[in-house]
Amino acid sequence: MQKMHLIKQAAIAAAFSLTATSALAQEVTLRFQHFVSPASANPTYFMQPWADAIEEQSNGRIKVELYPFMQLGGAAPSQYDLIRDGAIDGGWVIPGYQPNRFPEAEAMELPFMTTKSGEEASAAAWDFTQQFLMDDFADVHLIAAHMHGPGIVHKRGEPVQTVEDFAGLKLRGPSRPATLLLQELGATPIGMPVPQFPEALSKGVVDGGVITWEMSPSLKLNELTDSHTDVAGDRALYNLYFIWAMNKDVYESLPADLKAVIDANSGMMASRWAGHAHDTGDVGGRALMAADGNEIAQLSEAETARIKALGETVTANWIAEMDAKGFDGAALVAAARKAVEAHAGQVN
């Protein structure tokens, strides 16, 4: 009896050892997709280092492959659904590319909502997401929520200097709040994903648009535009909300120790990391535009104040619209502002 008991114990131990060894040897390849140049700031300073960290910390058991320019198929606005449905394992999403689908996220994108630090804005975005948006993104596994740095007005010809200079300009906008502000300024806003912007400029479909410094080099805005204008002060003209996410079933299928690797590179840390990537890219993008002889301008404090007043109109209208949809628009705006204030000046 004792001998049989020992044999049974040995068999259980051997089986456990085999299972543990199999789990340890498991290899996972995750295919993540985005829609911009691999040389742009987020892929360079966040996505690739993030992928490298996952591989290193998993001892090579997880490999993350990054596919730029939507190489795995689909269009930028469909990215969330591609992740949710398992067509790709993960990727970069701009929820605003699907207007009205994630309306609460727009609170972070309202005019002059964020500071000009992508890292600070991203920390605020993660807090806001935890409070209001986890149900919206319940059918994917959320890794990070982040923002970029300041949105800049890029255009052919002379820079805008007054509110009146916006009148009649056809300007690309990335999101509904941005296009609402452009409309309030008297411009003709044309919403389009970033991959379409260079061609629209080259064909004269738009006179310019709003986008970050860091995206300017990869979009060749030093060649396609002549001037770049920021607003005065420490608040961004507009901002854009992003998520970095993976397919929920793929995440859940990972063994616990590999989930832990993903978890260790998620949340506030990853959100700040992604925002900081934009800040890093902004420095180089602005420098390149200046080095190529393009005019770098900043609106006066007086003109910026006029634009802020128009931005408040956009925000008030947005609150009313959200209230009509059954949300508490004022509470969402107040929470977004509180989150931004909590992280203002808190760059590590």
Side-chain angles (χ1 to χ4, degrees):
M1 177 70 72
Q2 180 68 19
K3 183 176 180 182
M4 289 297 295
H5 179 68
L6 291 174
I7 292 173
K8 184 177 181 181
Q9 282 188 318
I12 292 172
F16 179 80
S17 175
L18 181 62
T19 301
T21 302
S22 297
L24 188 64
Q26 180 173 345
E27 294 183 359
V28 178
T29 298
L30 302 177
R31 303 187 309 160
F32 275 62
Q33 177 171 259
H34 62 88
F35 38 83
V36 297
S37 165
S40 57
N42 197 287
T44 299
Y45 302 114
F46 170 65
M47 295 181 194
Q48 190 59 58
W50 183 88
D52 293 342
I54 296 298
E55 183 168 357
E56 179 181 354
Q57 292 170 29
S58 68
N59 294 317
R61 291 169 60 208
I62 303 177
K63 179 176 177 57
V64 180
E65 296 177 347
L66 298 177
Y67 293 85
F69 300 123
M70 302 299 290
Q71 289 176 338
L72 296 178
S78 65
Q79 187 84 304
Y80 183 89
D81 296 319
L82 293 171
I83 297 169
R84 181 199 62 193
D85 297 340
I88 56 177
D89 298 314
W92 202 29
V93 178
I94 296 178
Y97 279 180
Q98 293 185 312
N100 301 312
R101 183 171 181 181
F102 307 103
E104 292 166 289
E106 292 181 344
M108 291 299 305
E109 300 177 328
L110 290 167
F112 297 94
M113 175 60 74
T114 66
T115 66
K116 290 182 177 179
S117 163
E119 183 176 345
E120 292 175 7
S122 296
W126 181 254
D127 280 351
F128 185 85
T129 299
Q130 294 296 292
Q131 187 175 359
F132 292 104
L133 300 175
M134 295 306 290
D135 288 347
D136 292 51
F137 304 132
D139 47 9
V140 299
H141 179 74
L142 192 64
I143 296 169
H146 74 93
M147 313 289 287
H148 57 50
I152 309 298
V153 181
H154 310 265
K155 64 180 288 287
R156 294 194 303 249
E158 296 294 317
V160 292
Q161 296 180 327
T162 67
V163 170
E164 287 73 22
D165 290 341
F166 284 92
L169 289 176
K170 294 178 293 183
L171 297 177
R172 173 262 180 186
S175 66
R176 207 173 68 90
T179 57
L180 289 172
L181 177 59
L182 292 174
Q183 187 172 15
E184 199 69 32
L185 286 165
T188 300
I190 300 177
M192 66 177 66
V194 64
Q196 298 174 15
F197 188 30
E199 184 177 3
L201 271 170
S202 65
K203 292 184 175 180
V205 174
V206 294
D207 302 305
V210 291
I211 204 165
T212 55
W213 286 117
E214 57 92 0
M215 283 300 300
S216 302
S218 64
L219 299 176
K220 299 188 183 302
L221 296 190
N222 51 320
E223 301 172 12
L224 295 171
T225 64
D226 305 295
S227 63
H228 317 271
T229 307
D230 195 4
V231 293
D234 65 352
R235 295 297 169 125
L237 175 67
Y238 81 97
N239 209 320
L240 195 58
Y241 177 91
F242 305 78
I243 62 171
W244 184 241
M246 65 183 292
N247 177 269
K248 196 164 190 172
D249 290 341
V250 171
Y251 172 80
E252 293 295 343
S253 72
L254 296 173
D257 59 334
L258 293 189
K259 284 182 187 175
V261 173
I262 300 293
D263 294 346
N265 293 278
S266 299
M268 179 62 80
M269 177 272 277
S271 299
R272 280 188 171 273
W273 188 0
H276 183 72
H278 289 275
D279 291 336
T280 302
D282 280 344
V283 175
R286 187 184 190 281
L288 179 61
M289 297 303 106
D292 274 16
N294 287 18
E295 186 169 358
I296 309 298
Q298 180 174 287
L299 291 170
S300 69
E301 291 185 5
E303 289 303 314
T304 298
R306 293 178 67 196
I307 296 176
K308 282 185 176 180
L310 295 172
E312 286 300 322
T313 298
V314 171
T315 298
N317 291 340
W318 184 85
I319 289 172
E321 181 184 347
M322 292 298 286
D323 289 347
K325 292 179 178 179
F327 299 98
D328 188 337
L332 289 167
V333 170
R337 286 174 172 163
K338 183 178 180 180
V340 169
E341 291 300 331
H343 294 283
Q346 300 298 312
V347 171
N348 294 330

